[in-house]
């Protein structure tokens, strides 16, 4: 498929309902014509985590409104769209089903091709949408639901060379915030506190650094914060503002150190492929953290590897990345039929071993 493609993307795998239109003229930089994201944070706030049934219902209610808004924002009608791309997994099954059903309805109603997209491929292909990265590049996905190193060698060719064996880093930030009485989402709150604190006061663990490979673990770190807090409460009856800031600083420094050390190893594995223009790209909400971003940028510079962090609105869940991943699939000649299914688990790299457990935002794939 070498003609201009204008694709409508839909995303509903977690707690963001999103629709976007992306246009790609072959040989030119792709253009995001519109991107609408309706978050559900307030709906889930009373429960301290995403409630799958509430999420699915909200997606079903909001999807067509988001599509209308995205079309209006782009100044287009469905008749001017070439295909519908939709997240078909991995994620919370009710939400993924809502999106897939909506996409099928739109595709049948408007007589458009349908293309199912892996949500993780959406994140992993974003640096091609924003910065035109050439394959192969190294990708670190770090969010509330994901944490993995991927070598992207083609639109559908990914090798996972490591990932978390328990919590995702964003999840650890959120739990740390909860332990210390800070608001959700925890990442920005912990980062703000950390800026006032002393990262060396508490000796927090750097899990799995002593083991070879690029796998990571963050749940022990959060438990260490809990123990330190309980120790302070037992010794002095509570925690002071300085204690809280020091714990946040120590926690953030530990996450940054683990991500930096494992990135160093991942870069070594990636450079063995002798890429012409070596690049490390990051995506996910945690990539917004300045200390973590600086640590990763430093590691890339040390290794002579370029560094790309797409703008935050395209790092966190959105539908522009799904529309773009759809375009990449359509260019390969792929499309799906009305039998397209919703997959709660869908590893990008089918050859790599399954991840352990699932996070608060669904399966880690
Ligand atoms: O990518 P994202 O919006 O959603 C998914 O998890 O899919 O990432 C959200 C996660 C949350 O856990 C949030 O606490 C974390 O990213 N986060 C941060 C920061 N901003 C958001 N973590 C650390 N530092 C930040 N500044
Ligand atoms: Zn995501």
């Amino acid at each position: 498929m070498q003609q201009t493609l204008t694709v409508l993307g839909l995303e509903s795998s977690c707690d963001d309902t999103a629709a976007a239109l992306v246009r790609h003229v072959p040989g030119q930089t792709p253009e995001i014509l519109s991107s609408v994201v309706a978050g559900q944070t307030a709906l889930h706030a009373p429960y301290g985590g995403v409630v799958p049934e509430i999420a699915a219902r909200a997606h079903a209610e909001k999807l067509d409104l988001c599509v209308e808004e995205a079309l209006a924002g782009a100044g287009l009608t469905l008749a001017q769209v070439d295909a519908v791309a939709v997240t078909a997994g991995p994620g919370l099954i009710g939400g993924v089903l809502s999106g897939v059903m909506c996409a099928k309805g739109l595709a049948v109603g408007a007589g458009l091709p349908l293309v199912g997209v892996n949500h993780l491929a959406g994140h992993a292909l974003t640096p091609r949408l924003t910065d035109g990265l050439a394959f192969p590049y190294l990708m670190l996905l770090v969010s509330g639901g994901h944490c993995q190193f991927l070598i992207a060698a083609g639109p559908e060719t990914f090798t996972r060379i490591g990932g978390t064996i328990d919590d995702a880093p964003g999840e650890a930030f959120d739990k740390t915030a909860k332990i210390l009485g800070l608001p959700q989402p925890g990442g920005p709150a912990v980062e703000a506190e950390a800026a006032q604190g002393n990262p060396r006061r508490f000796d927090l663990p750097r899990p799995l650094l002593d083991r070879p490979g690029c796998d990571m673990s963050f749940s022990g770190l959060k438990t260490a914060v809990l123990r330190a807090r309980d120790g302070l409460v037992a010794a002095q009856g509570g925690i002071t503002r300085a204690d809280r800031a020091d714990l946040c600083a120590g926690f953030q420094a530990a996450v940054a150190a683990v991500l930096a050390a494992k990135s160093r190893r991942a870069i070594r594995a990636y450079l063995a492929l002798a890429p012409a223009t070596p690049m490390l790209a990051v995506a996910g909400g945690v990539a917004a953290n300045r200390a973590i971003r600086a640590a990763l940028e430093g590691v890339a510079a040390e290794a002579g590897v370029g560094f790309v962090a797409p703008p935050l609105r395209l790092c966190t869940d959105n539908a522009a990345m799904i529309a773009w991943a759809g375009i990449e699939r359509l260019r390969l000649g792929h499309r799906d039929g009305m039998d397209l299914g919703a997959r709660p688990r869908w590893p990008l790299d089918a050859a790599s071993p399954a991840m352990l457990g699932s996070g608060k935002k669904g399966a880690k794939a």
Side-chain angles (χ1 to χ4, degrees):
M1 264 201 178
Q2 277 318 304
Q3 77 269 32
T4 296
L5 286 175
T6 304
V7 170
L8 168 67
L10 302 183
E11 159 61 35
S12 58
S13 64
C14 185
D15 57 353
D16 290 302
T17 314
L21 282 144
V22 175
R23 175 171 292 157
H24 183 225
V25 180
Q28 293 186 18
T29 308
E31 190 185 353
I32 299 171
L33 303 177
S34 62
S35 179
V36 177
V37 180
Q40 303 177 353
T41 310
L43 285 180
H44 302 289
Y47 308 97
V50 178
V51 183
E53 290 74 14
I54 294 177
R57 192 176 296 263
H59 288 308
E61 282 168 7
K62 284 274 165 65
L63 268 163
D64 30 358
L65 297 173
C66 288
V67 170
E68 269 179 26
E69 205 180 320
L71 284 168
L76 295 177
T77 64
L78 259 188
Q80 293 165 294
V81 170
D82 296 310
V84 182
V86 61
T87 299
L92 299 172
I93 188 67
V96 180
L97 268 172
S98 300
V100 168
M101 299 304 282
C102 177
K104 284 181 180 175
L106 289 167
V108 169
L112 297 173
L114 172 72
V115 60
V117 165
N118 182 311
H119 176 86
L120 299 171
H123 281 301
L125 295 171
T126 298
R128 287 171 56 74
L129 167 65
T130 56
D131 293 82
L133 284 204
F135 297 119
Y137 56 88
L138 177 64
M139 180 83 211
L140 170 60
L141 282 184
V142 270
S143 71
H146 325 295
C147 180
Q148 48 189 294
F149 287 107
L150 294 163
I151 293 175
E156 298 190 321
T157 313
F158 302 97
T159 308
R160 185 164 68 77
I161 58 172
T164 182
I165 60 166
D166 42 51
D167 289 352
E171 211 173 342
F173 267 95
D174 294 341
K175 288 177 180 169
T176 293
K178 212 167 179 178
I179 290 167
L180 298 176
L182 293 167
Q184 297 294 316
V190 170
E191 181 175 12
E193 286 290 318
Q196 324 290 324
N198 169 9
R200 278 171 293 278
R201 176 169 157 210
F202 293 97
D203 186 22
L204 298 174
R206 267 94 170 124
L208 298 194
L209 276 198
D210 51 341
R211 282 203 231 155
C214 302
D215 281 343
M216 292 162 279
S217 161
F218 295 100
S219 78
L221 188 50
K222 155 213 79 196
T223 309
V225 172
L226 178 65
R227 290 227 178 86
R229 182 206 67 182
D230 288 350
L232 289 167
V233 171
Q236 58 191 43
I239 62 168
T240 64
R241 291 200 67 177
D243 294 336
R244 189 161 75 179
D246 293 345
L247 277 168
C248 286
F251 167 81
Q252 180 177 279
V255 175
V258 169
L259 288 172
K262 296 290 176 166
S263 296
R264 234 172 248 126
R265 290 186 199 169
I267 286 175
R268 240 176 278 142
Y270 161 66
L271 287 178
L273 300 176
T277 315
M279 297 297 287
L280 167 67
V282 289
V286 179
N289 185 287
R290 271 156 297 187
I292 291 174
R293 195 186 276 241
L296 296 173
E297 225 169 335
V299 166
E302 238 171 62
V305 169
F307 181 80
V308 165
L312 194 59
R313 71 197 161 80
L314 295 173
C315 274
T316 55
D317 286 353
N318 67 89
M321 69 179 191
I322 302 304
W324 171 249
I327 289 174
E328 297 250 37
R329 287 205 71 207
L330 288 163
R331 296 256 183 250
L332 292 178
H334 296 316
R335 58 172 67 184
D336 291 287
M338 283 303 121
D339 57 350
L340 173 67
R343 300 173 63 175
R345 281 184 182 267
W346 185 3
L348 262 187
D349 175 356
S352 74
M355 301 299 285
L356 294 178
S358 71
K360 74 176 164 66
K361 294 191 168 185
K364 289 202 179 74

